[in-house]
Amino acid sequence: MSQDTPPPTEPPALPPYAERVLDVAELIPPGRVMTYGDIAEWLEEGGPRQVGRVMALYGSAVPWWRVVRSDGALLPGHERRALAHYRAEGTPLREARRTAGSPGSVPRLDMRRARWDGATGDTPHS
């Protein structure tokens, strides 16, 4: 190794709040979702924007498609990937509204049926 080459560094440690958010994301059962706000409320810390930031930076290592917007809209730019996961897991969806000029509209999550409250032993579609 030459003197100009910096020594290898360890990846930065995951911030504690981010670790807690990701831990919750991993608890969400297949076929269910929690909103950014639900996770913040469950942790009793931060808010939807903070949870969203954590998911944007670190969420690829967890089932990111299970952490969603409260209106049930799919994550912009990731709709196809998320939709494939939702269909594979049987996550309740609502058909997209047909509006003029919007061919190929993407469905939304059926939040009333898909939302998970963090209770253990909860099953999809209950």
Side-chain angles (χ1 to χ4, degrees):
M1 192 182 303
S2 74
Q3 291 179 344
D4 295 337
T5 306
T9 59
E10 292 292 317
L14 193 62
Y17 182 71
E19 193 169 327
R20 290 192 298 277
V21 167
L22 298 178
D23 286 347
V24 174
E26 288 183 322
L27 293 174
I28 303 168
R32 302 305 295 263
V33 298
M34 287 181 91
T35 68
Y36 300 109
D38 290 341
I39 290 179
E41 187 177 320
W42 202 72
L43 291 172
E44 298 180 346
E45 185 179 356
R49 289 179 188 256
Q50 289 81 10
V51 172
R53 180 78 176 147
V54 168
M55 293 304 295
L57 292 174
Y58 309 106
S60 64
V62 298
W64 55 268
W65 59 93
R66 296 181 192 153
V67 182
V68 302
R69 294 171 33 165
S70 62
D71 66 359
L74 306 191
L75 185 63
H78 301 279
E79 296 94 343
R80 285 180 172 234
R81 287 178 48 215
L83 194 53
H85 287 292
Y86 298 139
R87 287 187 170 142
E89 293 182 356
T91 307
L93 299 169
R94 297 175 60 193
E95 287 306 312
R97 292 187 193 120
R98 300 278 180 208
T99 57
S102 64
S105 296
V106 177
R108 289 180 177 256
L109 292 158
D110 183 341
M111 294 302 291
R112 185 181 56 77
R113 294 174 46 223
R115 201 170 197 166
W116 187 59
D117 66 4
T120 57
D122 197 7
T123 57
H125 320 299
S126 54

